[in-house]
Amino acid sequence: MTIKPTIYRQRRKHLAALLNRGIAIVRNSSDQIRSNDTYYPYRSNSYFHYLSGFPESESILVISSKLNQSFIFTKTKNKEKEIWDGFIYGPKKAAQDFLFEAGLDLKEFRSFLNELISTHTNFYLLQEDLDLRSMLSKALNIASKGKRVGPVMSNHIHSLNTMIDEMRSIKSKNEIEIIQKAANISSEAHKFAMANIHLDQYEYQVEARLRYEFAKNGARNEAYHSIVASGKNACTLHYIQNNAKLINGDLILIDAGCEYGCYASDITRTYPINGKFSAAQRDVYTIVLEAQKKAIECVKRNNAFNDPHETALRVLAQGLKDLKIIKSPINEIIEKQLYKKYFMHRTSHWMGLDVHDVGNYYDPKNNSIKLKDGQILTIEPGLYFQKNEKIPKAFQGMGIRIEDDVLVNGNSPIVLTAKCPKEIQDLESIIGKG
Ligand code: GLY
Ligand code: MN
Ligand code: MN
């Protein structure tokens, strides 16, 4: 279940048609040093991957709309280096296997760039690639001096992001299948962690179970660092220390998703470590679950991206009032954002090649954009009560979030992560029973 080279080529052709006789240049990420001569595991730049599928670091792809051709620049084939670091495609095989019109050595890139400058006027780059922008600006200025037209060229460099973001934000059938597979693997991993939760365990040991189950099912990597947060740690939204010992009576919040074929999944489940919700835990969980379900119902074509968030907010505000944590009227809780102390993040983000995927949230008039079929977003409301809050003790140090990945599909949202249990009864029947 992969994306075929012909699909990557189709994407390049599609982009070329948007380039107005210009040229797009996209570079893959570099290897990142971990210490001295050892490196972090490599992950391609998502834009580069989207347009090529080519896995080697530092490669550069060039798409010329004018020439209706695309080129790949790669590392030199080097048998000696391959003994140490493994297979290198080399330009020729890279072009053959990944369907580029030509493959060239990275060493030739600068002279190629100079040649392009004499034949093209519009250049499209990723806006975050400042090094390439600077290299190109210098080359353009040098060329313009030669022509005695002055240093005018920066207005010929454009951002490529929006064009690719629009392509990436609507997922094809093929992409949806891959993301569904990632979601299935993550659901299994959550179930495995749930079934094997027991006291005398550290959070990182739960993390190890998730990673084991991901890899066992074909997903080597996480889509992001797993959050395994027991007790009050769940109130730290980006908690990744994962080094506390599990305590009887606490909840555990696990926000973890695998990456499969470079596509993300993103699931959060929260449940009691000892397998039985206390009354206070049950009360808060029920509110968050209702907010999440109601929000999912709003994932419909032509609804605003913000609709699920606003729906979740109303349920959470009512819940905070029912629990007597906030005493103000509902309208005031919402208008004055009194809920923010306990629900401080948004309900959704796009998901795809990146867990926080590309794509706009607002249109040029600053209206929340309308949902389209084929988009995938998370629905992840939560409530977080810090230990030192002036609220009933039973709620202090409790953090609950429930997160699923949802595909926009007309009026019938598809919950890709539906296999991961979230009803209280289902959770209680699985926890610790492994
Ligand atoms: N796991 C990151 C997020 O839920 O946004
Ligand atoms: Mn998320
Ligand atoms: Mn998450």
Side-chain angles (χ1 to χ4, degrees):
M1 192 186 292
T2 50
I3 307 273
K4 292 196 173 67
T6 47
I7 301 293
Y8 291 112
R9 183 174 56 187
Q10 241 173 48
R11 291 172 179 171
R12 293 194 294 274
K13 296 268 181 221
H14 184 97
L15 183 61
L18 304 173
L19 288 180
N20 188 23
R21 296 179 68 73
I23 194 134
I25 310 175
V26 181
R27 300 198 301 175
N28 209 356
S29 313
S30 310
D31 293 299
Q32 300 295 313
I33 292 174
R34 182 175 186 276
S35 90
N36 197 5
D37 59 350
T38 61
Y39 290 83
Y40 285 106
Y42 183 71
R43 163 53 156 86
S44 279
N45 172 285
S46 293
Y47 286 110
F48 182 90
H49 177 79
Y50 183 78
L51 294 171
S52 71
F54 187 63
E56 287 181 11
S57 62
E58 282 160 31
S59 322
I60 304 176
L61 69 83
V62 175
I63 302 172
S64 164
S65 158
K66 191 169 159 186
L67 305 174
N68 196 22
Q69 285 184 335
S70 52
F71 309 93
I72 183 108
F73 290 78
T74 77
K75 291 173 193 161
T76 319
K77 187 91 185 143
N78 181 337
K79 289 280 178 208
E80 216 168 295
K81 197 168 179 329
E82 288 179 69
I83 291 171
W84 291 90
D85 297 329
F87 176 72
I88 299 171
Y89 275 88
K92 207 165 140 218
K93 186 162 173 56
Q96 258 168 18
D97 289 9
F98 293 84
L99 308 181
F100 284 82
E101 271 72 28
L104 295 98
D105 196 292
L106 273 170
K107 293 190 200 95
E108 298 172 80
F109 179 67
R110 274 190 187 249
S111 57
F112 186 83
L113 192 63
N114 288 333
E115 217 177 291
L116 288 178
I117 285 170
S118 62
T119 50
H120 290 74
T121 37
N122 285 312
F123 295 82
Y124 294 82
L125 312 182
L126 295 179
Q127 58 207 30
E128 56 273 29
D129 195 344
L130 301 178
D131 290 344
L132 182 58
R133 189 187 175 89
S134 148
M135 188 201 297
L136 182 62
S137 291
K138 278 183 200 148
L140 285 168
N141 276 324
I142 290 167
S144 73
K145 279 190 189 111
K147 289 186 208 150
R148 300 174 184 265
V149 293
V152 292
M153 294 300 192
S154 60
N155 56 350
H156 294 291
I157 302 180
H158 313 277
S159 167
L160 187 54
N161 298 59
T162 310
M163 286 178 221
I164 311 182
D165 291 355
E166 281 189 10
M167 293 168 66
R168 279 176 58 180
S169 78
I170 307 289
K171 275 67 183 175
S172 67
K173 192 166 162 274
N174 196 185
E175 287 178 296
I176 292 166
E177 279 167 9
I178 296 173
I179 296 172
Q180 179 66 75
K181 171 95 178 168
N184 291 348
I185 294 173
S186 295
S187 299
E188 281 308 308
H190 273 267
K191 284 202 288 195
F192 182 63
M194 260 171 219
N196 290 286
I197 283 282
H198 54 78
L199 299 170
D200 293 331
Q201 237 178 346
Y202 284 85
E203 292 162 342
Y204 60 80
Q205 291 168 327
V206 179
E207 178 188 336
R209 283 191 201 283
L210 293 158
R211 296 184 72 120
Y212 166 75
E213 194 68 10
F214 290 165
K216 197 181 94 185
N217 292 309
R220 172 88 193 271
N221 296 312
E222 300 167 302
Y224 52 93
H225 202 311
S226 300
I227 295 169
V228 181
S230 61
K232 67 176 175 21
N233 297 333
C235 299
T236 302
L237 298 177
H238 290 161
Y239 177 82
I240 52 167
Q241 286 85 345
N242 298 357
N243 58 4
K245 200 166 183 183
L246 308 192
I247 293 175
N248 193 6
D250 276 352
L251 293 173
I252 187 164
L253 178 156
I254 300 182
D255 183 344
C258 71
E259 181 175 89
Y260 184 82
C262 256
Y263 285 86
S265 55
D266 186 5
I267 302 180
T268 307
R269 291 294 182 263
T270 312
Y271 46 88
I273 291 163
N274 65 15
K276 189 87 194 131
F277 281 84
S278 70
Q281 289 167 349
R282 178 179 288 263
D283 287 347
V284 181
Y285 189 90
T286 304
I287 293 164
V288 177
L289 184 59
E290 191 196 339
Q292 205 239 9
K293 288 182 181 170
K294 290 254 159 74
I296 289 174
E297 285 171 17
C298 301
V299 179
K300 292 182 178 167
R301 184 202 309 147
N302 289 331
N303 274 3
F305 177 85
N306 270 347
D307 286 351
H309 179 64
E310 290 182 359
T311 299
L313 260 187
R314 268 189 297 280
V315 178
L316 295 177
Q318 183 66 52
L320 288 164
K321 191 167 168 60
D322 294 345
L323 294 174
K324 300 193 172 50
I325 286 174
I326 306 180
K327 301 199 172 75
S328 316
I330 298 293
N331 282 352
E332 209 170 294
I333 297 178
I334 292 176
E335 275 153 32
K336 293 192 177 161
Q337 302 192 342
L338 304 178
Y339 60 82
K340 265 210 159 158
K341 215 166 161 187
Y342 310 111
F343 177 47
M344 58 298 279
H345 58 78
R346 305 286 300 181
T347 299
S348 303
H349 55 79
W350 301 126
M351 197 193 77
L353 284 172
D354 295 315
V355 63
H356 295 167
D357 208 30
V358 295
N360 285 336
Y361 293 107
Y362 293 94
D363 69 16
K365 289 187 181 151
N366 217 23
N367 296 314
S368 178
I369 72 159
K370 299 262 186 266
L371 296 175
K372 293 187 189 139
D373 283 355
Q375 290 178 319
I376 293 178
L377 63 158
T378 64
I379 299 290
E380 49 179 307
L383 284 174
Y384 311 89
F385 303 118
Q386 301 285 345
K387 201 129 194 121
N388 50 5
E389 279 300 317
K390 288 199 185 74
I391 56 174
K393 200 152 176 48
F395 299 127
Q396 289 182 19
M398 188 192 297
I400 294 180
R401 177 165 68 253
I402 307 171
E403 174 175 29
D404 283 303
D405 307 336
V406 185
L407 169 68
V408 185
N409 173 54
N411 285 330
S412 315
I414 296 177
V415 181
L416 301 171
T417 44
K419 290 196 172 124
C420 191
K422 63 183 175 186
E423 299 297 331
I424 287 183
Q425 211 181 324
D426 295 338
L427 293 170
E428 287 188 341
S429 71
I430 298 175
I431 298 164
K433 305 280 163 51

